[in-house]
Amino acid sequence: MEDTILPSKIFCFHPSAEKETKNRNRTVYHYTSPEGLLAILSSSSIRFTDCQFLNDRSEYNHIHIPLEAAFEEVRSSLYHTGLSELIQGFINDKYDFQELIVENPSLGHDGTKLLTMRHFVFCASTDPDLLNMWNYYVKGNKYQGYNLGISVNDIIRSLSSMTEHNSKLFYGPVIYSNKEKIDTLKKAIQVTDESLHLALKNISNSDNQELVIQEKYEELVSYLENFRLFFKDASFSSEKEYRFVLRMPERQTEMPGSPIKIDYTVRQGVVTPHCDVPFRKNGVIKKITVAPMVENALATAGLQRYLQDNGYDNYIEINESKIPIRY
């Protein structure tokens, strides 16, 4: 199958231990309630939630802690010691992100505009049968949940059909280890610092120097803004999270022709922004696992009939949790 992914719109976050090919050629697991499962299957879409409304209060802003530690460890070796203050002053706590969009390169500055961007997140796990995740779906002292095994490669191909060119998708594993966070950020800082040092070597004009400094500075800020949602507090490490992050204009409904619209639902009594992103029925969902203690035979029979009656592939595998819970 021809790869239709547009590299200008879809980006892989792959720390040193996680190569891009490994990232894409894997199945990840979205745990959900019975109602959530039926909503996904009936609409053939997955829900991305505004990052401000996720269950971890430190989402999006957790990056400040490892970023400060990373700068502290490399500060004495940097060519450009002011880099730390510049970057940390820009990475703020606002959930809105201003992005300069080039609409017509031939017009120079007149062909650009600033758009207010928001980040929306779809969460999964790398573990197909995880007790900590099943625990979110206990109702009446019984486990009532499912997970969908989703092909990363196929969901990305499906999402690549997004027509709104200002939207971007980022995907990859969440980092929980403090050391790995710091090492990942140190590498980004050092690469930027070295690149800036080399670029300035042969430039004598002060105006040109300022332009180069600004360019390199923006590259590092862009990296941090793009991937800050992949750094998470270690207390959530048991979830083994793998996530997809969609960055899109805040006023997406004003973008003509876009298949993705911002909508609202109520979660835990809070009005929550989200967007539902359609996917192809063929190949995206590889398997469905039934939580422990659900009536497995009945749950499997109901799922099989639903999938057959609603145009899903026959090869979607239905499994039962192997966790030996009695009650």
Side-chain angles (χ1 to χ4, degrees):
M1 178 178 176
E2 183 180 350
D3 194 342
T4 58
I5 292 175
L6 304 179
S8 62
K9 290 166 48 175
I10 298 181
F11 304 87
C12 176
F13 177 63
H14 50 106
S16 56
E18 184 83 16
K19 302 302 181 185
E20 183 169 1
T21 51
K22 180 182 177 183
N23 244 311
R24 286 178 53 186
N25 295 322
R26 72 188 307 171
T27 298
V28 294
Y29 304 89
H30 177 67
Y31 288 76
T32 187
S33 64
E35 295 79 12
L37 171 74
L38 194 59
I40 290 170
L41 294 175
S42 62
S43 65
S44 298
S45 64
I46 55 177
R47 177 158 295 181
F48 285 69
T49 301
D50 187 301
C51 71
Q52 186 175 359
F53 296 81
L54 298 176
N55 65 345
D56 176 3
R57 291 185 178 183
S58 69
E59 288 280 6
Y60 195 64
N61 297 317
H62 177 74
I63 195 171
H64 291 299
I65 300 170
L67 183 60
E68 172 60 34
F71 270 120
E72 191 63 33
E73 290 191 19
V74 300
R75 187 173 280 114
S76 61
S77 64
L78 295 178
Y79 292 107
H80 305 278
T81 55
L83 193 63
S84 171
E85 287 68 28
L86 280 171
I87 298 301
Q88 293 188 93
F90 190 89
I91 304 299
N92 57 43
D93 292 340
K94 293 180 62 178
Y95 290 93
D96 298 329
F97 174 62
Q98 297 292 320
E99 184 170 20
L100 187 65
I101 301 297
V102 180
E103 292 196 317
N104 191 339
S106 64
L107 296 178
H109 290 298
D110 293 333
T112 64
K113 69 175 181 180
L114 272 176
L115 282 182
T116 300
M117 313 297 283
R118 299 285 296 194
H119 292 86
F120 293 78
V121 181
F122 175 67
C123 303
S125 173
T126 57
D127 195 312
D129 197 10
L130 189 57
L131 182 58
N132 284 334
M133 293 304 298
W134 291 129
N135 285 338
Y136 285 114
Y137 302 101
V138 175
K139 187 175 181 179
N141 296 321
K142 292 184 178 181
Y143 287 86
Q144 297 185 16
Y146 296 81
N147 75 42
L148 292 92
I150 296 172
S151 162
V152 173
N153 232 341
D154 287 323
I155 199 67
I156 290 170
R157 285 196 177 99
S158 190
L159 293 174
S160 70
S161 63
M162 293 182 300
T163 59
E164 210 297 286
H165 65 282
N166 294 320
S167 296
K168 293 182 174 66
L169 178 74
F170 307 91
Y171 66 98
V174 168
I175 298 180
Y176 301 100
S177 160
N178 289 330
K179 182 180 185 306
E180 189 175 0
K181 294 173 201 169
I182 293 168
D183 288 346
T184 300
L185 293 171
K186 279 168 56 179
K187 183 178 179 181
I189 293 165
Q190 290 168 326
V191 166
T192 300
D193 183 62
E194 180 69 24
S195 176
L196 177 57
H197 177 67
L198 293 174
L200 291 176
K201 268 189 173 181
N202 300 317
I203 299 177
S204 56
N205 184 291
S206 59
D207 290 339
N208 289 340
Q209 286 183 342
E210 286 300 318
L211 287 174
V212 170
I213 291 171
Q214 182 69 16
E215 178 186 337
K216 298 301 179 184
Y217 156 75
E218 288 176 356
E219 285 177 5
L220 181 55
V221 168
S222 178
Y223 174 87
L224 297 174
E225 287 290 353
N226 290 346
F227 298 116
R228 64 192 296 175
L229 278 163
F230 293 89
F231 296 84
K232 199 166 178 178
D233 190 274
S235 60
F236 290 90
S237 61
S238 61
E239 296 179 354
K240 301 180 182 179
E241 189 174 346
Y242 190 101
R243 58 179 35 178
F244 302 83
V245 178
L246 181 61
R247 186 165 80 215
M248 54 192 280
E250 183 177 45
R251 298 188 177 276
Q252 182 74 2
T253 52
E254 297 178 1
M255 301 297 169
S258 174
I260 304 172
K261 304 296 182 185
I262 295 172
D263 204 349
Y264 296 85
T265 190
V266 176
R267 294 178 61 190
Q268 304 297 319
V270 176
V271 176
T272 302
H274 70 266
C275 56
D276 293 331
V277 180
F279 62 81
R280 296 192 304 266
K281 287 185 176 181
N282 295 332
V284 172
I285 299 176
K286 299 297 185 185
K287 59 184 72 174
I288 298 174
T289 302
V290 182
M293 290 183 63
V294 171
E295 291 192 57
N296 290 316
L298 201 57
T300 299
L303 271 174
Q304 287 172 337
R305 289 183 61 177
Y306 183 89
L307 294 172
Q308 290 168 5
D309 289 347
N310 289 274
Y312 282 91
D313 291 335
N314 292 329
Y315 61 75
I316 293 179
E317 181 183 329
I318 300 177
N319 299 316
E320 302 173 5
S321 170
K322 298 299 188 291
I323 297 175
I325 294 177
R326 178 172 292 153
Y327 51 83

